[in-house]
Structures are given as C-alpha cells and as structure tokens.
Amino acid sequence: MTVMTRLDTGAAPPRDTHLTGLVSGANVRTPCGERRVENLRPGDLIVTRSDGLQALRHVIRITLSHEDLRKNPSLAPVRLMPRALGPMMPARPVALAPGHLVRVPAYLLAEDARDATLKVAATELLDNFENAFVDMGGDALSSGVTYHSLVFDTPQIFAVNGILVDSYAPDEESLGTLDVDTQSALRRLFPELDEERPAAFH
C-alpha cells in the first residue's frame, strides 16, 4: 500500500524535524539496477548493506506544496552535490528530507567509532560539507516537493546515488508527525507498535 500524506507544517526547528524521505529522482539500488524512488512499490526488492535483498513493505510519500515550503523553509530538502561526501559519494546530485539519516564515513567527521560509517541527519551535513546545501530554488519552490520513505520489515541501510542511507523505522515519536491514515497503515503492518503504546492511547 502506498499512502500520499500531508504534514502539519507548523514551525519546527530543522534540527528537530522527523521529516524523512528521498526526493523524487533519487536512484535506489535494486537487483535489476538503479530505479527511481518514485517508481518503487511494496514488494519490490532492494539491495541492503547487511541483509542482502529485502522486500519493501511500505512506501510513505509526503508531498509539500510551494505554499508549505514558503511558510516553513526548514522543510526544504538538503541537496548533496557529486563528491560531497567523498569520491562517487554521491555519484550524482541527490536531495533528501532534512531529517533523513545518511551514513557518512567516520573518518570525515574525525570520529572514533566502531562502525565505519556514522548516522547523520541530512540537515547536519550542512555544518560539515560545503557541497551540501538547502535547496530552496527551482522546482522546490515552484512546484513543491515529494519525499519518499522506504519501510522494510526491519531497519535497513541501502544505496542511493552512491551514498548509504537508512530506511524509515516507525516508532511512536515519528508516527505522531504523520497523518492518521498513514499511522493506521503502519500500525497494521507493524502490530508491535500498538503493544508498545501506553494503555491510555490504545
């Protein structure tokens, strides 16, 4: 099931937003080659970093209009230009929602970490990489933007335009930012979410 949804676009600090997703045009690695994220549907197989081929369970598509972005520029996408994070990272420009998690080589951030990559929200890249910027020009303002979040049975890391990103992992906090229909669809797919809710909210 694919759900089109709209966000409550009240003021939200960009570093605290739960808005995730890949902007239309991003190329996701599949066993049949790269596919544009807007063409993916539940059941499609995606190449993941640690768990091989995994089937999509759900795709959340959030569309923000020109007016939404004008009222709240913090919801505008973060665009990474080629080589922003290193050679072929990304291979081509890619744009993401400000809260989308990107895997960045740990050495680029001078971090001592067990994992070779660190999980960083797209908006945090703005402070560390000169070829990352908030994209408020062109189509983003004239025709709005659609963010696509991929959901699997378990959280996954997958390749988009040559960089690694995290899938959307539903939890109570992030669900609260989505519309009721999307929340209901995700709760049907992941009944354990209801088990974690306080009794007062059942």
Side-chain angles (χ1 to χ4, degrees):
M1 180 187 303
T2 300
V3 177
M4 298 295 291
T5 186
R6 295 294 298 277
L7 282 184
D8 175 359
T9 53
R15 295 188 186 279
D16 295 333
T17 183
H18 292 287
L19 180 59
T20 66
L22 309 170
V23 174
S24 299
N27 292 291
V28 177
R29 187 181 175 194
T30 79
C32 299
E34 293 187 332
R35 288 184 58 190
R36 290 169 67 105
V37 67
E38 63 268 31
N39 296 329
L40 295 174
R41 297 293 181 269
D44 289 342
L45 293 177
I46 306 298
V47 178
T48 69
R49 184 176 75 166
S50 301
D51 294 325
L53 300 182
Q54 292 291 311
L56 278 175
R57 289 296 304 279
H58 191 76
V59 182
I60 302 170
R61 305 191 196 277
I62 296 175
T63 297
L64 300 175
S65 68
H66 164 89
E67 187 64 14
D68 293 330
L69 296 174
R70 188 188 67 79
K71 288 180 178 178
N72 195 345
S74 71
L75 300 178
V78 173
R79 184 170 294 276
L80 304 180
M81 298 306 291
R83 299 176 58 86
L85 307 181
M88 304 296 288
M89 299 176 60
R92 296 179 298 283
V94 62
L96 314 94
H100 202 93
L101 295 176
V102 179
R103 295 290 173 144
V104 179
Y107 72 88
L108 292 177
L109 299 177
E111 296 279 354
D112 181 16
R114 291 183 181 179
D115 198 337
T117 61
L118 297 176
K119 213 167 27 172
V120 179
T123 191
E124 296 179 50
L125 300 175
L126 301 172
D127 296 331
N128 296 284
F129 300 96
E130 61 181 16
N131 286 328
F133 61 94
V134 176
D135 190 353
M136 290 293 294
D139 290 343
L141 281 183
S142 65
S143 58
V145 65
T146 297
Y147 294 119
H148 310 262
S149 291
L150 307 188
V151 184
F152 299 87
D153 283 325
T154 57
Q156 298 294 336
I157 300 170
F158 58 97
V160 179
N161 285 33
I163 62 172
L164 293 174
V165 300
D166 282 44
S167 65
Y168 173 79
D171 58 31
E172 281 301 325
E173 189 173 14
S174 63
L175 280 179
T177 67
L178 301 173
D179 68 89
V180 173
D181 289 341
T182 303
Q183 290 185 44
S184 297
L186 290 172
R187 290 190 190 283
R188 286 194 297 272
L189 286 172
F190 302 98
E192 62 271 21
L193 289 170
D194 280 328
E195 296 172 4
E196 297 173 0
R197 298 169 80 191
F201 292 94
H202 278 258

